[in-house]
Amino acid sequence: MGTYLYAITAAGHPLRLSGISGVGEPAAQLRTVRTKDLCAVVSDAPPQLRAKRRDVAAHQDVQDRLLADGAALPMRFGLVGTDDAQVATVLEQDRDSYLQRLEEVDGCREYHLKVARDEDDLLREIMRESAEVRRLNDRTRENPGAYDDKVALGELISQEVEARHERARSDIVARLAGTAVRTADVEPTKRHFLSVSFLVEREKAASFSEAVHEEAGQRGDTYDFSLHGPLPPYSFV
């Protein structure tokens, strides 16, 4: 059957788990696997577990309860160990690493920021600022059969887009990093040139959110900022 993992805490965590249950149908009963310094909150792993809404919500409910009372390392949905003994062995083997991570995330939450830019606006900027792009664009318009010029124009525009995205990524993260403990890059989507998570102390959450809104306001309507949080600190475990 296996052991389903929700989170890892320090041994002294209050572990107020009454009134909540785990994944599966019927809902699995929560229990703990303990070592001297650490505790894993687990349950029996249901057969053929899938990311159904009820199970995803149950998984996060357990983590939210733990995080409300202290530091916890949230596990990704669907993480299953062989049995309780294996979980205990891993807790003991990686004790120092887990304790260090617990100290890092204590009192913090994760905020995930995605940023996109209007493509037409970006292309107009490139055309306005790059003499070489304008030159190649004029040549391809005058001579539609100029294959080499078309290839060169496409490659140059692609390079300009990536360079401008990279400058914007670095600039935005640098401006916001001062209100965060750590940052972690997340794989960007096709639409978003920036996808990054910030580990933010609870008492600085309002300041961080305000900084994001100020940055979005300064960049104008051609940029789309999407901020999600507070979240369990998945990206920093």
Side-chain angles (χ1 to χ4, degrees):
M1 179 177 292
T3 297
Y4 186 95
L5 282 84
Y6 299 86
I8 296 172
T9 72
H13 194 285
L15 297 171
R16 294 186 306 110
L17 299 174
S18 61
I20 58 174
S21 54
V23 298
E25 186 61 45
Q29 183 175 356
L30 300 174
R31 63 178 184 273
T32 59
V33 175
R34 294 177 176 271
T35 62
K36 178 182 177 182
D37 299 301
L38 294 167
C39 175
V41 177
V42 305
S43 70
D44 287 340
Q48 299 180 336
L49 177 67
R50 295 173 182 168
K52 297 179 181 178
R53 180 178 300 177
R54 187 266 165 205
D55 288 330
V56 172
H59 180 85
Q60 188 159 348
D61 284 347
V62 174
Q63 297 175 344
D64 288 341
R65 175 68 65 85
L66 294 169
L67 287 165
D69 291 333
L73 303 181
M75 300 293 105
R76 295 286 184 181
F77 179 87
L79 183 61
V80 177
T82 303
D83 52 30
D84 287 12
Q86 185 207 28
V87 173
T89 298
V90 172
L91 290 180
E92 197 60 46
Q93 287 177 344
D94 295 332
R95 167 189 172 278
D96 292 343
S97 177
Y98 287 134
L99 289 174
Q100 180 182 351
R101 292 291 177 142
L102 283 166
E103 184 177 354
E104 289 177 351
V105 304
D106 190 13
C108 298
R109 291 293 186 274
E110 178 174 336
Y111 290 81
H112 183 205
L113 176 65
K114 294 188 290 186
V115 182
R117 184 177 178 183
D118 182 79
E119 291 184 1
D120 290 339
D121 178 71
L122 178 56
L123 290 175
R124 285 193 295 268
E125 179 185 284
I126 292 171
M127 185 70 69
R128 184 173 62 250
E129 297 180 358
S130 173
E132 182 62 12
V133 168
R134 292 196 303 273
R135 185 185 71 81
L136 287 171
N137 184 63
D138 290 341
R139 289 187 61 174
T140 57
R141 293 178 65 181
E142 294 168 358
N143 184 8
Y147 176 78
D148 290 343
D149 287 337
K150 288 182 177 180
V151 171
L153 176 61
E155 291 177 346
L156 182 56
I157 289 176
S158 178
Q159 292 168 5
E160 286 284 346
V161 167
E162 180 54 36
R164 289 161 196 267
H165 279 168
E166 181 56 38
R167 286 199 297 271
R169 273 194 292 265
S170 299
D171 190 39
I172 291 170
V173 172
R175 290 175 184 272
L176 299 176
T179 53
V181 177
R182 287 177 57 197
T183 63
D185 289 332
V186 181
E187 188 68 25
T189 67
K190 289 184 178 180
R191 178 170 179 265
H192 299 93
F193 69 84
L194 183 149
S195 184
V196 61
S197 285
F198 296 84
L199 186 65
V200 180
E201 296 174 351
R202 285 182 181 176
E203 58 268 25
K204 294 183 179 179
S207 298
F208 175 77
S209 180
E210 182 179 350
V212 172
H213 287 296
E214 288 180 357
E215 182 69 19
Q218 291 175 5
R219 291 187 176 269
D221 294 339
T222 60
Y223 284 80
D224 179 21
F225 280 62
S226 178
L227 182 64
H228 301 275
L231 304 168
Y234 290 113
S235 300
F236 302 94
V237 174

